[in-house]
Every structure is written in C-alpha cells, then in structure tokens.
Amino acid sequence: MNRASSLALRVAVAAIFLLSGISRLKAQEPAATPPKQAAPMQDAAKPDAAKADAAKTDADDDDNNNPFAPEPAPTLPPGMKGSDTSDPRAKLTPGLYNAGEAAVGLKHLALLKKPDAFQLGASDPDDPKVQKTISQLGIGNIAKLPKAAQLPIAQLAFANSDLAFQGSHLFLGNFYGVNIYDISNPAGASLLTSMVCPGGQGDVSVYKNLLFMSVEMPNGRLDCGTQGFPPEPPPPATEEKEKKRRIPAAQKDRFRGVRIFDISDIKNPKQVAAVQTCRGSHTHTLVQDPNDKDNVYIYVSGTSFVRQPEELAGCSGEKPDKDPNTALFRIDIIKVPVAAPQDAKIVANPRLFIDPRTGAINGLSSGGTHGKNEKERKPSDTDQCHDITVYTAIGLAAGACSGNGILLDIKDPVHPKRLDAVNDPNYSYWHSASFSNDGSKVIFTDEWGGGLGARCRPNDPNKWGADAIFRVNDNKLTFVDYYKLPAAQGDSENCVAHNGSLIPVPGRDIEVQAWYQGGISVLDFTDPAQPTEIGYFDRGPIDPNMLVLGGEWSAYWYNGNIYASEIARGLDVFELTPSKFLTQNEIDAAKSVHVADLNVQNQQKIEWPSTLVVAKAYLDQLSRSQVLPESQITSLRKAIESAESSHMNKSKLAKLQKMAPSLEKSAATAKTPADNARLRALADILKHPSA
C-alpha cells in the first residue's frame, strides 16, 4: 500500500478507513491530540490582548487538529530538483468558481457544474447535512473526528471520478452515482440524466447497451439506496488503543463490486446485474476478446479491505501463509454475456504476483517507498493492482499494481500471464498506465499522496509523484526517464500524476494528463528520453487555507476535444489551440480520427485516414525537425495546397505521387526513428491520398 507521509491522508484514513478507496493508505501515526481546553473565562471579561491570544490559541489548536490543513514541504533530498515557482501557474488566485486561470495551447470551452443532487450543499461543518452525510458513510462516533475534518470528509462522498464515452454521450462517474451528458456540441454540452447510486468509486465503462460501474465503499447498497447502513459502534477500548482496523459488520444488502446497467434508454438506466467481489472494485477494465463476440470481460482491481465471509462467502483477508485462498494478491475477472448481462459472474482470480520459481503468490514487492523515515522505505509485498490498461490489438496489458509496474500477455483474456515486472524506489504507488500507439512505450503514473496530498510544491522532488516512461522490447520493460508537472503548486493543492489518454496527432506520442489541482498537462513523449510539456491549463487553489480534494481526476481526448472530470466543480471541456509546439495542421489531423466509443483503460489502436490533412501534419513535423531542406518543404506544401484547391485533380495528384520516392529515400538516412516513420507515412499518403 501507499505509505506517503501526508498528514492529511494519514489522519483521514485513521478516522475513516472506509475512504481507503481514495487514499489506499495505512494509518501510520496517531491522530493529533485533542485541543487544549482554555481555563473557563467569559469573553466579555477578557482584556483585548487576552482575547487576541485566546483567538490565536484556538486557531493554532484547530490547525493542529485539522488533517486537511496545509503541510509545508520538507527540504529537498540531496541531488533532487523541485518544481518551477516562476511558472505562471504557481501563483494563481484561489476560488471555487472564480479562481485565477492560466493556459497554453488549450482553450477552455465550458464548465458544467455538478448537479445539485451531487453537491453536499453545505459549507459549514455544523450544518446537519454534514453530519448526515458522514453518518451515511457508516462512520461511527463522529464526535471524535476533528471538527475541521468533517466538512472535507463529507465532500468526498460527492467527488467526481472517471469518464467513459459512447457516440455523443459522456458518462461521468461520481462517488454518489453517474451523470450522463450530451456532447454532440462540445462547447454547449448538456446534462441528460443523473443516476444517484452511492458507493464509490464510481469509475465507469460502456459497451453497446451496457454501463459498468465500480463500487468499493461499504455504504454501497444492492438497491442503490442513499441511506447507507447504521454507523459502526465505537471500538472497544483495547482495539482503539492497539489501533486495529475494524471490518464493518456484515450486511445482507451491502454491495461492493461491479454494477451493470442497461442504458438502452439513455435517460433511464436500469441495473440488471451486480457482481459482488471480496475487496469491492476500486477500478475496472473492460476487455474484449477478438475471438469471442458474445461476451466481454471485466478485470476488477480492488484496493480496499477484504469483507467478512459472513457477508460474502469465500472472502479471506489473511496472509498467504495462513490462507492460500486469500482474496489478497489477485484480481477478479468477470465474464459478461452481452445478450444476458444478468448472468455475469466471476470466472477467474489470476494470481498476477506469483513467484514462478517457488509458487509463492506474494512473489512481487515494491522497491521501497520514499518517506520521512527508514520504516517507510522498506519494501512491501504487492497484493493489489490499482489500474490495468489493456491493448488488445497488440495482446498486451500494463498493470499499475501498487508496488510494481507489470506487463501482461492477454491474448487469452481469462488467463492473463505476467511477462515482466519492475519497481522503483522513487515510486510510492503505481497508479495507472498508457501505451504509446505503436506499443513500444508505456507511461506509468505514481500517485504519491493518494490524491489528497499536495505533492507538486517547490520542495517536492520532480522524480516523486511523477510519470515514469518505459520502453517495451521483447516483452520487457526498460526505464527511460521521468516526467512531472513542471509548475509549482501550493500547500493546499492536492497534486500528483493521474489519469490521461493519447491525443491522436500522427507522427508524435502525445498524452493529455490530469494532475488534480495541478490542472491539465499535455506531454510529448515521442522521444522518451526527453519528455516535454507542450500545453497546459490550471486554476488557482480551491481553498488557500485547507487541503480540499479537488481538481482534474481524468483528462481524456475524445473525437476532437478534451474532457476533464473536475472532482469538486463538474465537467470541463477544452480544445487544442495552435502554439509553437503544435500546429493547426497537427490539430486538424488529430480531429480527423473518430471512434465510436472510448474506455481509456481499454486502449484502441489509432488509425489515421490517408488524407492531405494528415500529410500536412507530417510536413509540419519534418519542418520542425529540419530533416528536409526548406526548399523541399516549400515545394511539398505548394503541391499539397494545389491538389486540395483543385478538388483532387488527377494531374495534381500525379505530381504528388512523383514526390513520394524522394521522401522514401530520405527516410533511409533519417537521424531518428520518428522522422523515418514520418517520411514513410507522408510518402504513402502522397502515393494514394484519399478525399
């Protein structure tokens, strides 16, 4: 598990392990001591100086007991570098809906605020809504939670999560359910329907008429009810003293796993199945077998506690030496008959971490995690995957599995086989993964701080909470370099590497990525040894005085636009704009790629049309890299423009075809593989351009 040193996270998890689906952290230190009680004295009788001192003492006590109060970054470790404080993003003004903004290469088209039903609707911790929400989460003995922590904890119950797309519809997951939007006009996107169904995590995928939703927290109910379950009673004094984690009492109506909805009527989704799992579903991955058109498969990644066997038969949270059938150290695979989703069931529990030499199921461990003390740096067994990205077209999957990044053979989706595993002492929690389109590279992310930590401060090392880029060669992973959001963020801004997707610019590997309150970063990793930011969007902190869970959870490209799930605010819509890093031709070429649906963790191979729009994008890249003489670039541009303006006249096309052989000849002497590929792709288009 992630053992980051964020006080906010440690105390939050110590108070409510129910939210371990967000943070996945162990409580390592006791919560702050109760506030000191001032001697009884009426305010009216106090001298002004005494009143001021008392006010300061109260404020200090509140800060000491507030697990969400900003925590200054420690000193940079020797040899490490931090983020740039001179970047325009470093000093943006705070606010929920009126924060300062900065952008390069991105235009913000719209923010659709969360529907009222998905808002806490309270800003005062004494508001009865706060107490009611915390109670519905199943948290007992609320009075023991620091007052300053109660509002942020209640807000977590309404956090936006992941995105999926189908046709002109966008599905936005939330810890409280799902919102479905019409994005036929991206700048004028509108809410179609809201489906209230609490239980976190709310990650979604879509396939034909089926919607899948992850549920992990113990307030989830089979009937999607909002009432939760009775709060757990306070632990016995002996347990509280020993800081033991208590599993919630068994409930016959509790649901933790993957829900399946029929969305044939998009405005009226109907739950048709609910597949229970021992650890719930933190995330899931939709997997298609090219040889099986009747079924789809769901890889379920559970990161939370294992429920009691009294609640779900067969569940065990024991270590392998005590129970070889433990629900730890595995993923679950659900088979879903597309024509009969009500018959969905678990068909396999692959042990992805097994040691092939000994057969031990706890055969992988982390490289040790960075932290404040040596205890935090000790390696630990990997017993879970956070996210798995499958790339069926190449038969591989990349698993971000807490302490390790792993590469899988998924040619038989029900029996994935581990090909390789890597770890990294600079990584705290392997969170998610993305392949390059050709499958030769993988970006893994490190969610240091679990999502609630401010991890982009000037003194936070740029190798921690970052992306790690690996080459894939002969089914082996080889580390190349790190990439981290370059702009410094504040002490109250949760910020760390999070979810992103490829932008289909031909000839380049470009990813748009969310960084929570660090905003959105557009990364070029065509050369994995020199990853470079080429665009961004950022807002100022939601609250300068309190670390609130907010910012962009996911940022994904879909059919010409970027959509981002803003945890606290709603849905953001963006478009790319030309800059010195990206031309209009490259943007237009990316927009020429359309897909019927998108579940980012089920990565699709991008195919570009053989159009002159795509040819112009390659030409811009060849000009940028100066691989061809400028005179040849100019001649090619004129020939392409002439063919376009002539409406693809045969004589003009014939001229283009005659220019192709020289490009193929230049490809043979190109200095980089990227330029070689661009020259050959451009030549292919010129030989056979499509309208």
Side-chain angles (χ1 to χ4, degrees):
M1 285 191 175
N2 185 348
R3 290 183 293 237
S5 59
S6 163
L7 175 63
L9 286 162
R10 291 198 311 274
V11 178
V13 177
I16 47 165
F17 74 91
L18 309 172
L19 297 179
S20 61
I22 301 170
S23 58
R24 301 172 304 282
L25 305 176
K26 293 179 180 177
Q28 296 175 340
E29 295 179 6
T33 54
K36 297 177 182 177
Q37 298 297 318
M41 185 175 186
Q42 296 297 322
D43 283 349
K46 295 179 182 177
D48 289 343
K51 287 182 182 179
D53 289 343
K56 183 178 186 304
T57 299
D58 290 343
D60 290 343
D61 285 339
D62 191 51
D63 283 344
N64 289 335
N65 287 277
N66 179 7
F68 298 96
E71 182 183 85
T75 303
L76 273 170
M80 294 279 195
K81 295 181 179 180
S83 302
D84 183 4
T85 57
S86 65
D87 190 285
R89 291 167 279 182
K91 294 179 174 63
L92 295 173
T93 56
L96 182 58
Y97 298 116
N98 60 345
E101 297 180 354
V104 167
L106 286 175
K107 180 180 179 182
H108 188 217
L109 299 180
L111 168 63
L112 283 73
K113 296 180 181 178
K114 289 195 290 187
D116 289 344
F118 287 73
Q119 305 256 17
L120 176 62
S123 57
D124 182 349
D126 292 320
D127 191 308
K129 292 180 182 177
V130 174
Q131 308 301 312
K132 180 181 178 182
T133 299
I134 294 175
S135 177
Q136 287 174 340
L137 289 173
I139 301 170
N141 207 7
I142 296 174
K144 282 206 168 185
L145 287 178
K147 178 67 71 174
Q150 293 181 19
L151 182 62
I153 288 171
Q155 290 170 333
L156 295 178
F158 300 92
N160 277 338
S161 58
D162 213 1
L163 299 164
F165 305 83
Q166 185 181 75
S168 60
H169 297 139
L170 179 152
F171 302 83
L172 173 51
N174 185 287
F175 280 62
Y176 202 62
V178 179
N179 288 298
I180 305 174
Y181 294 86
D182 180 345
I183 56 170
S184 52
N185 174 14
S190 59
L191 180 67
L192 275 179
T193 190
S194 294
M195 180 176 65
V196 173
C197 190
Q201 159 124 339
D203 279 14
V204 288
S205 293
V206 62
Y207 181 78
K208 294 186 176 180
N209 66 313
L210 300 178
L211 173 71
F212 305 92
M213 176 185 178
S214 287
V215 181
E216 183 172 57
M217 290 167 59
N219 64 321
R221 296 179 58 90
L222 284 166
D223 60 1
C224 283
T226 61
Q227 68 270 38
F229 296 97
E232 296 295 314
T238 53
E239 281 191 19
E240 185 169 311
K241 185 176 180 181
E242 295 173 8
K243 302 294 178 187
K244 287 185 177 179
R245 170 172 286 188
R246 302 180 73 218
I247 304 301
Q251 300 284 350
K252 63 181 179 61
D253 295 321
R254 178 173 283 129
F255 178 74
R256 298 174 66 215
V258 176
R259 300 187 191 275
I260 306 175
F261 297 90
D262 186 324
I263 53 171
S264 300
D265 180 355
I266 196 70
K267 293 186 177 181
N268 186 32
K270 294 181 179 178
Q271 183 169 289
V272 293
V275 183
Q276 300 268 21
T277 65
C278 289
R279 298 184 79 174
S281 173
H282 187 67
T283 67
H284 70 265
T285 302
L286 178 73
V287 186
Q288 296 168 255
D289 184 347
N291 301 313
D292 181 0
K293 302 299 182 183
D294 297 327
N295 302 285
V296 291
Y297 298 87
I298 303 294
Y299 286 5
V300 183
S301 296
T303 65
S304 190
F305 64 92
V306 177
R307 64 212 299 183
Q308 300 179 55
E310 292 83 3
E311 186 170 278
L312 184 62
C315 293
S316 165
E318 296 288 353
K319 296 295 184 182
D321 57 344
K322 291 186 177 180
D323 185 353
N325 296 315
T326 177
L328 305 174
F329 304 98
R330 75 186 195 196
I331 65 169
D332 301 313
I333 298 180
I334 299 172
K335 181 179 180 179
V336 184
V338 177
Q342 67 275 9
D343 296 332
K345 63 181 180 180
I346 295 174
V347 294
N349 310 105
R351 299 290 190 185
L352 300 182
F353 319 121
I354 198 166
D355 185 331
R357 298 164 301 177
T358 66
I361 64 177
N362 57 335
L364 290 182
S365 67
S366 69
T369 59
H370 45 74
K372 289 182 177 180
N373 55 57
E374 290 303 318
K375 183 179 179 181
E376 288 182 308
R377 293 192 179 104
K378 288 182 179 179
S380 60
D381 287 347
T382 293
D383 71 4
Q384 60 183 260
C385 282
H386 178 277
D387 226 322
I388 299 172
T389 294
V390 299
Y391 197 170
T392 305
I394 62 174
L396 296 177
C401 301
S402 63
N404 300 88
I406 65 175
L407 189 67
L408 301 171
D409 178 337
I410 57 163
K411 294 182 183 66
D412 179 355
V414 181
H415 302 99
K417 298 178 181 178
R418 193 178 85 237
L419 300 170
D420 197 17
V422 292
N423 57 29
D424 186 338
N426 285 317
Y427 256 43
S428 176
Y429 190 87
W430 296 70
H431 173 273
S432 55
S434 299
F435 285 95
S436 61
N437 190 55
D438 65 0
S440 67
K441 303 163 215 166
V442 177
I443 293 180
F444 286 102
T445 66
D446 172 20
E447 197 182 32
W448 173 37
L452 272 171
R455 292 293 182 262
C456 302
R457 299 162 296 182
N459 285 350
D460 289 322
N462 55 13
K463 293 181 180 179
W464 297 1
D467 297 336
I469 306 173
F470 287 78
R471 291 191 187 277
V472 182
N473 189 25
D474 292 332
N475 293 330
K476 296 295 181 183
L477 295 165
T478 304
F479 173 75
V480 182
D481 203 357
Y482 298 103
Y483 170 80
K484 188 170 183 179
L485 182 75
Q489 303 288 309
D491 291 343
S492 67
E493 293 179 279
N494 57 307
C495 177
V496 74
H498 216 237
N499 297 339
S501 76
L502 296 184
I503 297 177
V505 174
R508 299 173 73 178
D509 294 315
I510 297 178
E511 173 152 307
V512 58
Q513 185 176 353
W515 291 79
Y516 287 114
Q517 286 199 68
I520 292 171
S521 181
V522 182
L523 162 69
D524 185 326
F525 65 106
T526 308
D527 179 353
Q530 297 184 41
T532 305
E533 184 178 61
I534 63 171
Y536 63 76
F537 172 85
D538 190 19
R539 294 183 175 96
I542 293 174
D543 188 325
N545 302 311
M546 180 184 295
L547 203 156
V548 177
L549 180 63
E552 310 292 4
W553 178 290
S554 301
Y556 299 149
W557 171 277
Y558 178 69
N559 290 348
N561 290 90
I562 292 168
Y563 300 88
S565 167
E566 215 295 347
I567 298 167
R569 296 177 174 100
L571 173 67
D572 277 318
V573 185
F574 302 90
E575 68 176 1
L576 289 172
T577 59
S579 69
K580 66 179 181 179
F581 304 109
L582 193 68
T583 67
Q584 186 63 56
N585 289 328
E586 290 176 298
I587 295 171
D588 292 342
K591 288 184 175 182
S592 70
V593 176
H594 277 257
V595 295
D597 52 44
L598 179 67
N599 301 294
V600 170
Q601 288 74 35
N602 178 12
Q603 192 164 328
Q604 302 178 44
K605 189 171 184 61
I606 301 167
E607 301 284 353
W608 287 272
S610 184
T611 61
L612 294 182
V613 169
V614 176
K616 289 190 289 186
Y618 286 128
L619 199 54
D620 287 349
Q621 293 164 11
L622 295 169
S623 176
R624 187 184 293 122
S625 63
Q626 300 180 333
V627 71
L628 294 176
E630 193 57 38
S631 59
Q632 187 176 2
I633 295 285
T634 300
S635 296
L636 285 162
R637 287 194 199 281
K638 288 181 178 179
I640 290 173
E641 290 170 1
S642 180
E644 285 181 319
S645 61
S646 72
H647 303 290
M648 310 295 277
N649 177 276
K650 287 186 178 180
S651 64
K652 303 295 183 182
L653 293 180
K655 183 177 181 180
L656 290 180
Q657 291 168 353
K658 291 179 180 179
M659 303 175 89
S662 66
L663 295 173
E664 292 174 323
K665 184 177 180 180
S666 296
T669 58
K671 293 182 179 180
T672 68
D675 281 331
N676 177 292
R678 291 163 184 155
L679 286 161
R680 294 186 182 281
L682 176 57
D684 287 343
I685 294 175
L686 297 188
K687 286 188 288 188
H688 305 288
S690 60

